Amino acid sequence: MSIIYTTNKPQAFTELGRQVTILLIPLIFCFNPLDLKKYRHNFLFVFSLGCTITITYLFLQALFTIKYYHLPLKALASSAFTNHNFSEPLAIHATFFSMQIAIALVYLLYILVREPVKTRKFFWLTCCGILAMGILQLSSKSIFIALLLIINIALPLFILKGRNRFRFMAISTALFIVVMAGIYTRDTFKERYVTELKKDLSQSTDAELTDPRLARWNVAISVGAHSPVIGHGAGTEIGLLKDPFFDHQFYRSYLAGLNAHNQFISFFIKSGVVGLMVYLCVLAFGIRAAVTKRDLLLMAFMVIITVVSFSENFLDVDKGIFFYSVFFSLLIFSASSETTATHAKNIV
């Protein structure tokens, strides 16, 4: 609707062409004759194994490169093989790829916790380990925070009871402490997870060569505040931010034509409080459905997109749009229940 009053109609219709998927995918799931409850776990099972194989391939690719150039093995933890450089063979943004890996990891942890056969538990534990190492290597701060919340809080609350719940929370918390200690021992990971996070949440200074996210968010909010109710219209965000970024000496953001890197602020700029409230209501709907159905995967998905919304305009790019549309639709139209949990055991 914000196309009606936008000042940049070509870019607005380009955005519409991408985001129409958000409307079409739910319609496909809605009118699909397949029993989604029946096949939900089959899809997630294949998807998760595919993610595990993909991460394994990326590690093998990195190790092959290290061997080819006669680099030490510790180079695997250097900036040359982490974050975007790790996902480079797939030509995909590290955070967007991490969103998919996070869903796969949560699903396999779900299977691991419910798996009664010890020999199978070892296989699922191995797959979870590979995906967890992939998450670390991709070094997405927002996904790391989302998984911290999902694994330590949502997973035990949704699928465990009594003593098992507290035992799992104690073990998972201890593991995260060990992981954080490991992060502090490697300069590359410490720079990515700790130093850069502090920079992102700091105000800009004249000595900074990078543009902190918090400082850019403040500029973007001030731009949106010029039309707070209905916004400036679709397709206007980057153009409106250019001059303010230059005025605040955010030359990197100006030259690269960066957006707000915050989905909430993006909606505020384009469609004001009205558009922002629509998005917040969608998130509230998903979280409420997850709690009502006690659906761990749906809750994990909602936590991931909510946390990522603070750091990325993921609904402005095809990879983010398809992830959002497909998984939201699948998980909403296939409610979790004890029968589907039993089916998940049977397929493995």
Side-chain angles (χ1 to χ4, degrees), residues 207-229:
E208 289 284 352
L209 296 177
T210 58
D211 307 334
R213 269 184 166 82
L214 182 61
R216 279 188 284 155
W217 293 344
N218 290 335
V219 172
I221 290 173
S222 66
V223 169
H226 293 155
S227 180
V229 179

Side-chain angles (χ1 to χ4, degrees), residues 62-333:
L63 291 173
F64 175 80
T65 304
I66 288 172
K67 182 180 179 181
Y68 182 83
Y69 288 102
H70 305 289
L71 299 173
L73 186 59
K74 65 180 181 181
L76 186 63
S78 68
S79 58
F81 297 98
T82 56
N83 200 230
H84 298 303
N85 290 329
F86 184 66
S87 60
E88 176 62 27
L90 302 179
I92 185 172
H93 190 283
T95 296
F96 298 147
F97 185 42
S98 295
M99 294 167 76
Q100 301 177 39
I101 302 304
I103 289 290
L105 176 58
V106 173
Y107 176 74
L108 291 183
L109 284 172
Y110 171 81
I111 296 296
L112 175 64
V113 171
R114 290 180 171 271
E115 176 59 68
V117 182
K118 290 186 177 181
T119 54
R120 290 180 179 176
K121 275 183 176 290
F122 178 77
F123 175 73
W124 300 126
L125 184 62
T126 302
C127 292
C128 290
I130 292 171
L131 292 176
M133 289 190 296
I135 290 289
L136 279 175
Q137 205 72 12
L138 288 165
S139 303
S140 171
K141 298 184 289 292
S142 54
I143 296 301
F144 187 85
I145 294 170
L147 285 174
L148 178 66
L149 298 173
I150 295 165
I151 295 174
N152 289 319
I153 300 175
L155 193 152
L157 290 179
F158 274 64
I159 67 174
L160 295 174
K161 295 180 180 179
R163 188 176 298 175
N164 288 336
R165 174 183 294 173
F166 291 104
R167 184 183 301 163
F168 182 91
M169 293 176 73
I171 294 173
S172 62
T173 301
L175 285 175
F176 267 101
I177 293 173
V178 171
V179 170
M180 286 303 302
I183 287 173
Y184 268 90
T185 62
R186 302 302 304 178
D187 291 339
T188 300
F189 291 130
K190 183 179 179 181
E191 173 71 20
R192 179 65 187 171
Y193 283 103
V194 181
T195 307
E196 289 189 15
L197 180 61
K198 290 180 180 178
K199 288 181 180 178
D200 281 340
L201 298 179
S202 65
Q203 293 292 343
S204 180
T205 63
D206 294 338
E208 289 284 352
L209 296 177
T210 58
D211 307 334
R213 269 184 166 82
L214 182 61
R216 279 188 284 155
W217 293 344
N218 290 335
V219 172
I221 290 173
S222 66
V223 169
H226 293 155
S227 180
V229 179
I230 62 172
H232 298 273
T236 60
E237 179 181 353
I238 294 177
L240 289 171
L241 290 175
K242 274 236 167 192
D243 287 344
F245 279 160
F246 185 86
D247 294 339
H248 286 78
Q249 299 180 357
F250 297 161
Y251 299 126
R252 177 176 173 273
S253 300
Y254 171 81
L255 293 172
L258 296 183
N259 53 38
H261 272 63
N262 185 303
Q263 193 62 65
F264 302 111
I265 298 175
S266 177
F267 277 117
F268 181 56
I269 292 174
K270 296 175 184 177
S271 48
V273 173
V274 175
L276 177 59
M277 288 305 299
V278 169
Y279 186 54
L280 291 176
C281 286
V282 170
L283 295 180
F285 164 76
I287 293 172
R288 183 176 180 274
V291 173
T292 302
K293 300 170 184 177
R294 296 192 64 79
D295 191 326
L296 173 64
L297 269 297
L298 179 56
M299 177 56 76
F301 172 81
M302 297 310 304
V303 171
I304 288 168
I305 63 171
T306 300
V307 174
V308 172
S309 290
F310 281 101
S311 63
E312 299 288 347
N313 286 27
F314 76 98
L315 291 179
D316 284 353
V317 293
D318 291 333
K319 297 179 183 69
I321 291 169
F322 273 95
F323 174 83
Y324 174 84
S325 305
V326 171
F327 278 95
F328 207 164
S329 303
L330 172 69
L331 297 172
I332 284 292
F333 285 109

Side-chain angles (χ1 to χ4, degrees), residues 19-44:
Q19 295 183 350
V20 71
T21 306
I22 298 174
L23 172 65
L24 295 180
I25 296 295
L27 290 176
I28 293 172
F29 275 91
C30 183
F31 296 109
N32 183 15
L34 290 176
D35 185 351
L36 293 176
K37 293 181 181 180
K38 180 180 179 181
Y39 293 105
R40 161 178 164 147
H41 284 280
N42 296 77
F43 170 78
L44 291 171

